[in-house]
Amino acid sequence: MAKSTRRLRYAQVKAFFNFLINEKAVPIKNPCQDSIMVKAFKSPRMKQKDILSRESVDEIIYRSKKIRDRLILELQARCGMRIGEVLNLRVKDITDRKLMIRQPKSGKDIEVAFAKRLSEYVRGCQHEPESRIFPICYSSALPVVRKLGEKVGVQIRHNDLRRYSATHTSRNGIPLEVVSEVLLRHQDLKTTQMYLGKITDTEAIRWM
């Protein structure tokens, strides 16, 4: 049984005994409150990942030879979009300098501002309104960012660009609540707090 499953079972048993004690007035002590049990089933602390430097992200984007790849990376690094949201964009979602993210994980459509070159790229492709702007699958997009990261000496995944976007925005004075609700579209602020990366004081000053 996986550790996460064991912790879930422990929480369920603990809740059951609390129910007996608090609701049914059963005169017993919750065995799950034993210090050994608490320690054994304690949830591990989430380890924050180091954030990519601005220089690394800029170089990764600069090294993109295809305009398609550069736009995909910029949508994640500048707008905090999930790779799935980027790949699901359709021609009809783009209007001049704005794009509409439809049916995101948050469940609410949201409008995002972006550079005009995206709309220029869309016009150049001459696709139908219902056509996807980037007609590739996730498994094809994944190697793109990985290989570009290798060129600049960093290990990177698509989600690292989204984390970079959020951390960069937060460190530039944007309230955490705004970063959480507007940029990352998280439903829980705690998720955003765990999501943001760590940066040194030197990096923070350089980002200002």
Side-chain angles (χ1 to χ4, degrees), residues 56-106:
S56 295
V57 172
D58 287 345
E59 187 172 358
I60 288 171
I61 294 175
Y62 176 77
R63 284 175 176 259
S64 305
K65 294 182 179 180
K66 294 183 179 180
I67 182 63
R68 179 203 68 186
D69 296 343
R70 176 173 291 192
L71 287 171
I72 289 175
L73 297 177
E74 286 190 332
L75 284 168
Q76 292 195 272
R78 312 301 186 208
C79 301
M81 292 179 65
R82 300 177 176 90
I83 183 59
E85 294 170 344
V86 174
L87 298 182
N88 284 331
L89 284 174
R90 300 183 183 277
V91 173
K92 66 178 183 180
D93 299 330
I94 309 301
T95 55
D96 195 24
R97 293 178 180 269
K98 294 182 179 180
L99 61 88
M100 180 68 70
I101 302 176
R102 302 186 187 278
Q103 298 181 337
K105 288 179 67 176
S106 63

Side-chain angles (χ1 to χ4, degrees), residues 35-159:
S35 59
I36 296 178
M37 293 282 285
V38 172
K39 185 176 181 179
F41 292 98
K42 184 179 180 180
S43 298
R45 294 183 62 182
M46 293 291 292
K47 182 180 179 181
Q48 285 187 317
K49 294 186 177 181
D50 293 332
I51 191 66
L52 293 167
S53 69
R54 173 183 285 179
E55 291 78 8
S56 295
V57 172
D58 287 345
E59 187 172 358
I60 288 171
I61 294 175
Y62 176 77
R63 284 175 176 259
S64 305
K65 294 182 179 180
K66 294 183 179 180
I67 182 63
R68 179 203 68 186
D69 296 343
R70 176 173 291 192
L71 287 171
I72 289 175
L73 297 177
E74 286 190 332
L75 284 168
Q76 292 195 272
R78 312 301 186 208
C79 301
M81 292 179 65
R82 300 177 176 90
I83 183 59
E85 294 170 344
V86 174
L87 298 182
N88 284 331
L89 284 174
R90 300 183 183 277
V91 173
K92 66 178 183 180
D93 299 330
I94 309 301
T95 55
D96 195 24
R97 293 178 180 269
K98 294 182 179 180
L99 61 88
M100 180 68 70
I101 302 176
R102 302 186 187 278
Q103 298 181 337
K105 288 179 67 176
S106 63
K108 299 179 181 179
D109 292 354
I110 186 170
E111 196 173 60
V112 177
F114 190 65
K116 192 175 182 179
R117 59 179 169 273
L118 177 60
S119 57
E120 294 173 347
Y121 172 79
V122 171
R123 285 196 296 269
C125 292
Q126 297 183 337
H127 291 318
E128 295 296 323
E130 292 293 336
S131 299
R132 289 169 55 205
I133 298 173
F134 308 111
I136 59 174
C137 60
Y138 178 80
S139 59
S140 298
L142 184 62
V144 173
V145 67
R146 187 182 67 242
K147 290 178 180 178
L148 288 170
E150 290 173 353
K151 289 182 179 180
V152 300
V154 296
Q155 291 185 335
I156 181 176
R157 298 179 302 174
H158 281 288
N159 212 41

Side-chain angles (χ1 to χ4, degrees), residues 21 34 67 80 86 101 106 109 134 149 165 170 174 177 180-182 184:
I21 296 169
D34 181 81
I67 182 63
V86 174
I101 302 176
S106 63
D109 292 354
F134 308 111
S165 176
S170 175
I174 303 301
E177 292 80 4
S180 179
E181 183 176 348
V182 178
L184 295 178

